[in-house]
Amino acid sequence: MNVIAPIREAASSHATEHFDVLIVGAGISGIGSAYQLARQMPDTRFVILESQDSFGGTWRTHRYPGIRSDSDLHTFGYSFKPWVGPPIATADEILKYMGDVIEENDLGRHIRYGHRIVSASWSSATNLWTVHAVKGEAQEPVTITANFLWMCQGYYRHSKGYTPEWPDMAKFKGRIVHPQVWPDDIDLTGKQVVVIGSGATAATILPSIAGKCAHVTMLQRSPTYFRIGRNAIELAEELRRLQVKEEWIHEIVRRKILFEQDWFTKRCLTEPEQVKKELIGQISAIVGADYAARHFTPSYRPWRQRIAFVPDADLFEGIKSGKASVVTDEIERFTEGGIKLKSGDELKADIIVTATGFDLCVLGDIAFTIDGKPLDFGDTVTYRGMMFTGVPNLAWVFGYFRASWTLRTDLVAEFVCRLLAHMKAKGVQKVTPALRPEDHNMPLLPWIDQENFNPGYMMRNMHLLPKRGDKPEWQHSQDYWSEKDQIPAIDLDDPAFVYG
């Protein structure tokens, strides 16, 4: 992948260093948070620790063919940095955009690459986090203390993806590949390829390799919803013809998209059957009604799982051309030459791609302790999906499922900067979320309501995530259109915040 060169790592020392704020991760969340911290609190001394050898997070981890965003860059991009390319962008384009943000705002001096955090310990005696990390291939130990931890590391394990254990996988004579660890030496020319999965990753890989291999088959257990459209926004094109400033275009288009997303999400709840008919109708027009009915008609209502956008209908055009196909069935076992299905059919394959999802990890697989006691985040209750009861001076960026992840990065950043300024004004060193007296009898529920949203990676690991309550303060609502007003209005002197 042609990406811009990694920015030179800031100097580090073997001795313990201290920072006001330590940001974990130099992906889309970490860079956006660092920008806001530097802009809103310029006197803050902060550092970003990143385990990979450069910035980018998801967009550096994933190198499979065709890797692209599944939401538009006008909202996935930052509010402060206009996006001037096509709304659905490649990984290279996103990395270039992030690199420009780092360079233009002198953020590179704060980033330390190749630093994997092993543990983080809070001490009430000092009101500090002590973070132990290892640096580079030599695993050189690094120790940093910080007043505040800002977790921007995402929600899945970057080292490997999720692959189910199917019977007889070892008997398969070909090659099994997970998209998250795509090998550089793989040759698809003339090969029969089976891609297991039905989400955005499978829908991206299929059209990108359809013209290179002999044939590619998407094997899915059940269908997924997709949206189709041009990889362009007419309003942006028209405003550029009128020579409107890019900053204005970015904000206008961003608002238009957010309005339309809100409208579509509400329709999915109020008239799901009509939305379902429209989504499937778009696909039927390309691949035929019978094919769409069999392979692209989900059993659940729209938006209970993420809906990927397919630019220029490339997935369905690949199927229409005959270079790709879809099989809806379940795997009985692997064979030497492919996959035996429960229907009795067998799919021949030289290469099997397991586009079967993420392996969720909570807060970067870091061993957390509070005053020497191991911390299990599953025992905490979330404060609006940003902080946790009993965990001092720590914030987490967890984005949206039905809107762009980065929208919440901005909201959390505004909240954290306001909270840090509030603590400074009060002359306190510690803030810990805590249930108020009126909250102690409320029911504690899983992190997310599976009737509302239920992707597999969340359902498999719900026990690892914090609990939620039945009040807005103790939930991650997943509703940007309400949170954009609610989070800036949070009363920082609410009893839910205990200062010390």
Side-chain angles (χ1 to χ4, degrees), residues 99-214:
D100 289 345
V101 170
I102 293 170
E103 185 174 356
E104 291 165 6
N105 297 282
D106 194 25
L107 297 178
R109 63 192 176 94
H110 299 283
I111 308 174
R112 299 186 180 179
Y113 298 114
H115 282 65
R116 180 175 63 84
I117 297 175
V118 178
S119 66
S121 304
W122 171 264
S123 169
S124 294
T126 60
N127 285 331
L128 292 176
W129 284 102
T130 299
V131 171
H132 294 285
V134 290
K135 175 186 175 183
E137 294 183 3
Q139 303 285 282
E140 176 187 340
V142 175
T143 303
I144 293 174
T145 59
N147 300 86
F148 198 95
L149 285 188
W150 198 335
M151 305 300 295
C152 300
Q153 82 299 329
Y155 62 101
Y156 69 90
R157 192 166 288 113
H158 283 254
S159 58
K160 67 182 184 69
Y162 171 73
T163 301
E165 286 294 324
W166 290 288
D168 297 335
M169 290 179 71
K171 292 183 178 180
F172 179 58
K173 298 294 187 182
R175 193 167 184 178
I176 300 175
V177 176
H178 193 286
Q180 196 168 311
V181 285
W182 193 268
D184 293 330
D185 63 346
I186 193 166
D187 183 7
L188 304 176
T189 307
K191 299 293 198 309
Q192 294 287 338
V193 181
V194 173
V195 179
I196 304 173
S198 59
T201 301
T204 298
I205 292 174
L206 214 75
S208 68
I209 69 172
K212 301 173 184 176
C213 55

Side-chain angles (χ1 to χ4, degrees), residues 225 268-269 299-307 401-402 448-456 459:
Y225 287 108
C268 289
L269 297 173
S299 58
Y300 56 91
R301 65 169 172 77
W303 259 139
R304 282 192 71 193
Q305 296 186 20
R306 189 167 175 85
I307 301 176
F401 298 125
R402 296 190 179 119
I448 197 165
D449 178 5
Q450 66 177 359
E451 291 301 314
N452 183 37
F453 194 79
N454 60 5
M459 296 302 102

Side-chain angles (χ1 to χ4, degrees), residues 444-450 462 465-469:
L444 297 182
L445 308 166
W447 168 263
I448 197 165
D449 178 5
Q450 66 177 359
M462 193 68 72
L465 291 162
K467 302 296 187 292
R468 64 182 165 95

Side-chain angles (χ1 to χ4, degrees), residues 278-292:
E278 292 169 6
L279 292 174
I280 298 169
Q282 284 188 308
I283 299 169
S284 297
I286 301 173
V287 300
D290 290 344
Y291 205 95

Side-chain angles (χ1 to χ4, degrees), residues 245-433:
K245 292 180 180 179
E246 285 294 345
E247 291 80 5
W248 292 13
I249 295 173
H250 185 64
E251 182 62 22
I252 292 168
V253 172
R254 188 178 171 90
R255 292 190 184 194
K256 176 180 186 291
I257 292 170
L258 288 172
F259 175 84
E260 291 174 348
Q261 287 177 344
D262 186 27
W263 174 74
F264 177 74
T265 300
K266 288 175 179 175
R267 287 192 65 219
C268 289
L269 297 173
T270 59
E271 44 182 321
E273 289 304 315
Q274 179 59 31
V275 173
K276 181 176 183 177
K277 181 179 178 181
E278 292 169 6
L279 292 174
I280 298 169
Q282 284 188 308
I283 299 169
S284 297
I286 301 173
V287 300
D290 290 344
Y291 205 95
R294 182 174 180 183
H295 300 300
F296 295 105
T297 303
S299 58
Y300 56 91
R301 65 169 172 77
W303 259 139
R304 282 192 71 193
Q305 296 186 20
R306 189 167 175 85
I307 301 176
F309 182 81
V310 178
D312 303 316
D314 59 4
L315 168 65
F316 308 104
E317 293 294 345
I319 294 168
K320 182 180 178 181
S321 72
K323 297 175 181 177
S325 59
V326 180
V327 171
T328 303
D329 207 331
E330 293 189 53
I331 296 172
E332 179 179 298
R333 58 184 172 84
F334 278 48
T335 65
E336 290 188 1
I339 299 174
K340 181 72 178 295
L341 303 173
K342 289 188 177 180
S343 64
D345 294 337
E346 183 170 353
L347 287 178
K348 297 295 183 182
D350 302 301
I351 297 169
I352 295 174
V353 179
T354 57
T356 43
F358 300 126
D359 198 1
L360 185 143
C361 71
V362 178
L363 296 173
D365 286 334
I366 298 167
F368 279 87
T369 57
I370 306 289
D371 292 327
K373 181 181 178 181
L375 173 62
D376 183 347
F377 283 95
D379 293 335
T380 70
V381 182
T382 182
Y383 179 81
R384 293 190 180 272
M386 299 187 292
M387 300 181 77
F388 313 101
T389 55
V391 184
N393 291 20
L394 183 144
W396 185 26
V397 177
F398 195 106
Y400 295 114
F401 298 125
R402 296 190 179 119
S404 291
W405 181 276
T406 323
L407 292 168
R408 203 161 200 269
T409 297
D410 286 341
L411 291 177
V412 175
E414 188 275 340
F415 166 78
V416 171
C417 290
R418 194 161 64 91
L419 178 62
L420 293 173
H422 190 69
M423 292 171 67
K424 184 176 181 179
K426 289 173 73 75
V428 298
Q429 295 180 301
K430 179 174 71 171
V431 59
T432 309

